[in-house]
Amino acid sequence: MNGFGGTILRINLETGEIKRTPTPEKFAREWMGARGFVAKTIYDEVPRDADPLGPENILIMAPGVLTGTFAPAGSKIGFGCISPATNGHADSNMGGHLGAEMKYAGYDMVVFERISPEPAYLYIDDDTIEIRSAGDYWGMGSLDLEKRMKDDLGEDFQIATIGPAGENGVVYSCITHDFGRQAGRCGVGAVMGSKKLKAIAIRGTKSIPVHDLPALTKSTYDIIQRTKTHPLMEPWQKYGTALFVGWSNEHGCFPSRNFQTTYHEGWEGISGEKLAEEILVTHKACFGCWINCGKYSRARIPGKPDIYVEGPEYETIALCGGSCGMTNIHDVAYANYLCDNLGLDTMSGGNTVGFAMECYEKGIITKDDLEGHELRWGNIDDFENLVRMIADRRGIGEVLSYGTKGAAERLGRGTLAFAHQAKGMEFSGYDTRWYSAQLLSYCTSDIGAHHNRSWAITADIEIGQDTPEGKAEVVIYLQHIRPLFDTWCCCRLFWGEVDVTAEEHVDTIGYLTGWDVTFEECMQISEKIWNLTRSHYLERNGGPGRQFDVAPARQLEEKVPSGPAKGQRVGVENFEFMLDDYYHNRGWDKNGHPTREVLEILGLPHVADNLEKVGLLGEPFVDGVPKVRGKRLKPKAM
Amino acid sequence: MIIYLRSGGKLHDLLKPDVDQYTRRVETHEGATLVEILGELGIPLVMVAFAFVDGKVRKLDYVPTDGDVITIQSPVAGG
């Protein structure tokens, strides 16, 4: 089959059985890769009552149709499972070089089943596949282990690892690769750890068959020529995403001190400019990328060893930095390194430490809970002590290992009001009190709060920051187009920043596969996946669905106390209006349940049957579902 | 004096390039800040995250000099 590796692997970690089956072209065409493969497979195979960290959950690793090809930054690979953070569909992806290597070895998806009796790692060298002992590796840090395995196996193996947090089941553990690229979200590292799978090593030397190589070559050449002189290349290459720390503060959406306010005093010390001036060592790119947004940095802190880390990028600066009260870029880079090596997502990890710092400030967590340490805003020693306790699940670290929602449920005392999460996964680095479409994006996201499902900050500005009207449709549109890139598996930056259109990516898919595919078809696939993951969430968690699409009280009710957004809040009435509008425009009923009509339009009649059996199918629309769902306002790029 | 503004992405259509695909030639007076220049062009300041001149990030109170080539960028999220 053109455009793909051609084989699906199933690995039973309990018995050691390895099965190879050809990748069905119908499956590839209908689900396109990573996010789609994950959604379809876990819906079909994982029992609805399976414990996310138990043997019945599966862990999937899958690149997409564009991975490893000439497509700009076709670098991505997705990991998926049932999330221990949300108890729903999880997919999380990373750049780097692992995805391309896996396709060059000939594989489109690996499904890990059951639990290994001993710590193990997967070894793939083209057709040689082995489950090897990881006894010597268990307990090592993610970054330390990647270096060790490169030494043991050879530089040309691409390695993915988990850290101690993943081994210990912290629900926001990540999978790390390429010394700083993470499948960070949804707790995929905890599921990998629950299977006693410490690492994955892949070397592939084959190629991917292409339908029309001359057309693909010409198209790619034209894109390279056009984009290499694009004016926005240079700032991206020089600063990466960290450059937006300043704008975010000046426009009142930067989280400061656990989202207590949205302008962080001292942000200049953790800005992109400061990163470039003080800690930048070199630039770093993923497979097939000529933007090089990755920044490799060195942090120097008196009394601590110098460390090297990829980052910090915007989200890490916002959540390990601003939300934890830091004002020194060396401290943020060090925090980034700690999370990476321990195997914690810097986004949920930073967010959870910020939450704990506010609990400490309020006297809800004390020194007695912290093994005698303090937990002061902006203090890197305190940050280090706590993240080590979390990774080991010691003391209060056990409570915080469940994330902000799980911790708030255990701590009580009103802490849920300032737990910045949706469905159990923490907010990205944007406060939403002046950006209501972003709040709607977080709260309706199928995997929990994540900006890569829908980043609506500029849409809020374009539509109007003071109105809830018109927000739902743009959020729906963004929830289809942004995750489409996680389905195809290429980076969004070429689309968002240097004017490579989504339609050009679709053309690339056509040249690769020979499929007569259109942008509209791809968007409908994305909508199909969204409805499938929503239905799956309901089947696992019950109804009404509306009870899960809830916002933190601070975002709804507390006015921003300072900075450019001073006095802003979303308000319950506005949020409920947007939610009604959102459900209606998706073709769901007022409880947030997909209706049979929309599921059948999307080719999911069996899902409607399943929802009906458990009493969760949406009530029919009197006038029929909207013909166009989420397209009235088609924003350019992001 | 003449300056050249360059951009892409969300700001491309607002900038209305006339020199090449990404560049607009702008005649302005000495001492004008970018805030004033962008305002005269009808580009919403809230949509401009920063300016980039000679490899350096500049705030919008930057005062261009004759012949400056200035890249402006809208806010975006990562990829």
Side-chain angles (χ1 to χ4, degrees), chain A residues 236 238 243 247 458 462 497 499, chain B residues 9-10 46 49-50 55 73 76:
Chain A
W236 270 103
K238 192 161 184 177
L243 200 44
W247 184 90
T458 49
E462 288 171 307
E497 271 311 282
D499 298 311
Chain B
K10 274 187 171 295
V46 69
F50 61 85
Q73 177 156 14
V76 294

Side-chain angles (χ1 to χ4, degrees), chain A residues 20 25 75 90 101 121 189 192 206 328 332 397 476 550 596 612 618 624:
Chain A
R20 297 171 169 86
E25 183 154 8
S75 62
E101 201 75 17
Y121 78 93
M192 187 161 155
K206 303 175 193 174
N328 182 317
V332 180
I476 293 167
V550 293
R596 177 172 291 281
E612 191 164 33

